[in-house]
Coordinates of all heavy atoms in Angstrom, one line a residue:
F821 N -13.2 26.4 2.8 CA -11.7 26.6 2.9 C -11.0 25.5 2.1 O -9.9 25.8 1.6 CB -11.3 26.6 4.4 CG -11.4 27.9 5.1 CD1 -12.1 28.1 6.2 CD2 -10.7 29.0 4.5 CE1 -12.3 29.4 6.8 CE2 -10.7 30.3 5.1 CZ -11.5 30.4 6.3
F984 N -13.1 30.9 15.4 CA -14.1 31.4 14.4 C -14.3 32.9 14.5 O -14.7 33.6 13.5 CB -15.5 30.7 14.8 CG -16.6 30.9 13.8 CD1 -16.5 30.3 12.6 CD2 -17.7 31.7 14.1 CE1 -17.6 30.4 11.7 CE2 -18.7 31.8 13.3 CZ -18.7 31.2 12.1
V1002 N -7.5 34.2 14.8 CA -8.8 34.3 14.3 C -8.8 34.1 12.9 O -8.2 34.8 12.1 CB -9.5 35.6 14.8 CG1 -10.9 35.8 14.1 CG2 -9.5 35.8 16.3
I1003 N -9.6 33.1 12.4 CA -9.9 32.9 11.0 C -11.4 32.9 10.8 O -12.0 32.0 11.2 CB -9.3 31.6 10.5 CG1 -7.7 31.5 10.7 CG2 -9.6 31.3 9.0 CD1 -7.0 32.5 9.8
Y1004 N -11.9 34.0 10.2 CA -13.3 34.1 9.9 C -13.8 33.2 8.8 O -13.1 33.0 7.8 CB -13.7 35.5 9.6 CG -13.5 36.5 10.8 CD1 -12.4 37.3 10.9 CD2 -14.5 36.5 11.8 CE1 -12.3 38.2 12.0 CE2 -14.4 37.4 12.9 CZ -13.3 38.3 12.9 OH -13.2 39.1 14.0
S1005 N -15.0 32.7 8.9 CA -15.7 32.1 7.7 C -16.2 33.2 6.8 O -16.6 34.3 7.4 CB -16.8 31.2 8.1 OG -16.3 30.1 8.7
G1006 N -16.1 33.1 5.5 CA -16.3 34.2 4.7 C -17.3 34.1 3.6 O -18.4 33.7 3.9
F1007 N -17.0 34.5 2.4 CA -17.9 34.6 1.3 C -17.1 34.5 0.0 O -15.9 34.7 0.1 CB -18.8 35.8 1.3 CG -18.0 37.1 1.5 CD1 -17.5 37.7 0.4 CD2 -17.7 37.6 2.8 CE1 -16.7 38.9 0.5 CE2 -16.9 38.7 2.9 CZ -16.4 39.3 1.8
E1008 N -17.6 34.3 -1.1 CA -16.9 34.3 -2.3 C -16.6 35.7 -2.8 O -17.4 36.5 -3.2 CB -17.7 33.5 -3.5 CG -17.9 32.1 -3.2 CD -16.5 31.3 -3.2 OE1 -15.6 31.7 -4.0 OE2 -16.4 30.4 -2.4
E1009 N -15.3 36.0 -2.8 CA -14.8 37.4 -3.1 C -15.3 37.9 -4.5 O -15.7 39.1 -4.5 CB -13.3 37.4 -3.1 CG -12.7 38.8 -3.2 CD -11.2 38.7 -3.0 OE1 -10.8 38.6 -1.9 OE2 -10.5 38.8 -4.0
V1012 N -18.9 39.9 -4.7 CA -19.3 41.1 -4.1 C -19.9 42.0 -5.1 O -19.2 42.5 -6.0 CB -18.1 41.7 -3.3 CG1 -18.5 43.0 -2.7 CG2 -17.6 40.7 -2.3
F1115 N -20.5 34.4 17.9 CA -20.4 35.2 16.6 C -21.0 34.5 15.5 O -20.8 33.3 15.3 CB -18.9 35.5 16.3 CG -18.7 36.4 15.1 CD1 -18.7 37.7 15.2 CD2 -18.5 35.8 13.8 CE1 -18.5 38.5 14.1 CE2 -18.3 36.6 12.7 CZ -18.3 38.0 12.9
H1117 N -21.6 33.9 11.5 CA -21.0 34.1 10.2 C -22.0 34.9 9.3 O -21.5 35.6 8.4 CB -20.7 32.8 9.6 CG -20.5 32.9 8.1 ND1 -21.5 32.4 7.2 CD2 -19.5 33.3 7.4 CE1 -21.1 32.5 6.0 NE2 -19.8 33.1 6.0
I1119 N -23.3 37.6 9.5 CA -23.1 39.1 9.4 C -22.1 39.4 8.3 O -22.3 40.4 7.5 CB -22.6 39.7 10.7 CG1 -22.4 41.2 10.6 CG2 -21.3 39.0 11.2 CD1 -23.6 42.0 10.3
L1120 N -21.1 38.6 8.1 CA -20.1 38.8 7.1 C -20.7 38.5 5.6 O -20.5 39.2 4.7 CB -18.9 37.9 7.2 CG -18.1 38.2 8.5 CD1 -16.9 37.2 8.6 CD2 -17.5 39.6 8.5
E1121 N -21.5 37.4 5.6 CA -22.2 37.1 4.4 C -23.1 38.2 3.9 O -23.1 38.6 2.7 CB -22.9 35.8 4.5 CG -23.7 35.3 3.4 CD -24.4 34.0 3.7 OE1 -23.8 32.9 3.8 OE2 -25.6 34.1 4.0
L1123 N -23.0 41.5 5.0 CA -22.3 42.7 4.6 C -21.8 42.6 3.2 O -21.8 43.6 2.5 CB -21.1 42.8 5.6 CG -21.5 43.3 7.0 CD1 -20.3 43.3 7.9 CD2 -22.0 44.8 7.0
A1124 N -21.3 41.5 2.7 CA -20.8 41.3 1.4 C -21.9 41.5 0.4 O -21.6 41.9 -0.8 CB -20.2 39.9 1.2
E1138 N -18.2 42.9 18.5 CA -17.3 42.5 17.4 C -18.0 42.7 16.0 O -17.4 43.2 15.1 CB -16.9 41.0 17.6 CG -15.9 40.5 16.5 CD -15.5 39.1 16.8 OE1 -15.9 38.4 17.8 OE2 -14.6 38.6 16.0
A1139 N -19.2 42.2 15.9 CA -20.0 42.4 14.6 C -20.2 43.8 14.3 O -20.0 44.3 13.2 CB -21.3 41.6 14.7
K1141 N -18.3 46.4 15.2 CA -17.0 46.9 14.8 C -16.7 46.6 13.4 O -16.1 47.4 12.6 CB -15.9 46.4 15.8 CG -14.5 46.8 15.5 CD -13.5 46.3 16.5 CE -12.1 46.7 16.1 NZ -11.1 46.1 17.1
I1142 N -16.9 45.3 13.0 CA -16.6 44.9 11.6 C -17.5 45.7 10.6 O -17.0 46.1 9.6 CB -16.8 43.4 11.4 CG1 -15.7 42.7 12.2 CG2 -16.7 43.0 10.0 CD1 -15.9 41.2 12.2
S1143 N -18.8 45.8 10.9 CA -19.7 46.5 10.1 C -19.2 48.0 9.9 O -19.2 48.5 8.8 CB -21.1 46.5 10.7 OG -22.0 47.2 9.8
Q1145 N -16.2 49.1 10.3 CA -15.0 49.2 9.6 C -15.1 49.1 8.0 O -14.4 49.8 7.4 CB -14.1 47.9 10.1 CG -12.7 47.8 9.4 CD -12.1 46.5 9.7 OE1 -12.7 45.5 10.0 NE2 -10.8 46.4 9.6
V1146 N -16.0 48.3 7.6 CA -16.1 48.1 6.2 C -17.2 49.1 5.5 O -17.4 49.0 4.3 CB -16.6 46.7 5.8 CG1 -15.5 45.7 6.4 CG2 -17.9 46.3 6.3
D1175 N -17.1 49.8 1.5 CA -15.7 49.7 1.1 C -15.4 48.2 0.7 O -15.1 47.4 1.5 CB -14.7 50.1 2.3 CG -13.2 50.3 1.9 OD1 -12.9 49.5 1.0 OD2 -12.6 51.1 2.5
V1176 N -15.4 48.0 -0.6 CA -15.3 46.6 -1.1 C -14.0 46.0 -0.7 O -13.8 44.9 -0.4 CB -15.5 46.6 -2.6 CG1 -15.2 45.3 -3.1 CG2 -16.9 47.0 -3.0
R1177 N -12.9 46.8 -0.8 CA -11.6 46.4 -0.4 C -11.6 45.8 1.0 O -11.0 44.8 1.3 CB -10.5 47.4 -0.6 CG -9.1 47.0 -0.2 CD -8.2 48.2 -0.3 NE -8.6 49.3 0.4 CZ -8.4 49.5 1.7 NH1 -7.7 48.5 2.4 NH2 -8.8 50.6 2.4
R1178 N -12.2 46.5 1.9 CA -12.2 46.1 3.3 C -13.0 44.9 3.6 O -12.7 44.0 4.3 CB -12.6 47.3 4.2 CG -11.6 48.4 4.3 CD -11.9 49.5 5.2 NE -10.9 50.5 5.3 CZ -11.0 51.5 6.2 NH1 -12.0 51.7 7.0 NH2 -10.0 52.4 6.2
I1179 N -14.2 44.8 2.9 CA -15.0 43.6 3.2 C -14.4 42.4 2.5 O -14.5 41.3 3.0 CB -16.5 43.9 2.6 CG1 -17.4 42.7 3.1 CG2 -16.5 44.1 1.2 CD1 -17.5 42.5 4.5
N1180 N -13.7 42.6 1.4 CA -13.0 41.5 0.8 C -12.0 40.9 1.6 O -11.6 39.7 1.5 CB -12.4 41.9 -0.5 CG -13.4 41.8 -1.7 OD1 -14.5 41.2 -1.6 ND2 -13.1 42.4 -2.8
A1181 N -11.4 41.6 2.6 CA -10.5 41.0 3.5 C -11.1 39.9 4.4 O -10.3 39.1 5.0 CB -10.0 42.1 4.5
Y1182 N -12.4 39.7 4.4 CA -13.1 38.7 5.1 C -13.6 37.5 4.2 O -14.3 36.6 4.6 CB -14.3 39.2 5.9 CG -13.9 40.2 7.0 CD1 -13.8 41.5 6.8 CD2 -13.4 39.8 8.2 CE1 -13.4 42.4 7.7 CE2 -13.1 40.6 9.2 CZ -13.0 41.9 8.9 OH -12.6 42.9 9.9
S1183 N -13.2 37.6 2.9 CA -13.7 36.5 2.0 C -12.9 35.2 2.3 O -11.9 35.1 3.0 CB -13.4 37.0 0.5 OG -11.9 36.9 0.3
W1184 N -13.5 34.1 1.7 CA -12.8 32.8 1.8 C -11.5 32.9 1.4 O -10.5 32.3 2.0 CB -13.6 31.7 1.1 CG -15.0 31.4 1.6 CD1 -16.2 31.6 0.9 CD2 -15.4 30.8 2.8 NE1 -17.3 31.2 1.6 CE2 -16.8 30.7 2.8 CE3 -14.7 30.4 3.9 CZ2 -17.5 30.2 3.9 CZ3 -15.4 29.9 5.0 CH2 -16.8 29.8 4.9
Q1185 N -11.2 33.5 0.2 CA -9.9 33.6 -0.4 C -9.0 34.3 0.4 O -7.8 33.9 0.7 CB -10.1 34.2 -1.8 CG -10.8 33.4 -2.8 CD -12.3 33.5 -2.8 OE1 -12.9 34.2 -1.9 NE2 -13.0 32.8 -3.6
A1186 N -9.3 35.5 1.0 CA -8.4 36.3 1.8 C -8.1 35.6 3.1 O -7.0 35.6 3.6 CB -9.0 37.7 2.1
Q1187 N -9.1 34.9 3.8 CA -8.9 34.2 5.0 C -8.1 33.0 4.7 O -7.2 32.6 5.6 CB -10.2 33.9 5.6 CG -11.0 35.1 6.1 CD -10.3 35.8 7.3 OE1 -10.1 35.3 8.4 NE2 -9.9 37.1 7.1
A1188 N -8.2 32.3 3.6 CA -7.4 31.2 3.3 C -5.9 31.6 3.1 O -5.1 30.8 3.5 CB -7.9 30.6 2.0
E1190 N -4.5 34.0 4.7 CA -4.0 34.1 6.1 C -3.6 32.8 6.7 O -2.6 32.6 7.4 CB -5.1 34.9 6.9 CG -5.3 36.3 6.6 CD -4.2 37.2 7.0 OE1 -3.6 36.9 8.0 OE2 -4.1 38.3 6.4

Side-chain angles (χ1 to χ4, degrees):
F821 274 123
F984 191 71
V1002 176
I1003 299 293
Y1004 290 101
S1005 289
F1007 51 89
E1008 291 297 325
E1009 183 173 285
V1012 175
F1115 181 86
H1117 163 254
I1119 182 62
L1120 297 177
E1121 181 181 281
L1123 284 170
E1138 183 176 2
K1141 180 180 177 181
I1142 292 173
S1143 179
Q1145 177 191 23
V1146 303
D1175 189 326
V1176 174
R1177 177 183 55 84
R1178 290 185 177 182
I1179 188 61
N1180 274 344
Y1182 295 94
S1183 70
W1184 295 116
Q1185 291 81 4
Q1187 292 294 297
E1190 294 285 333

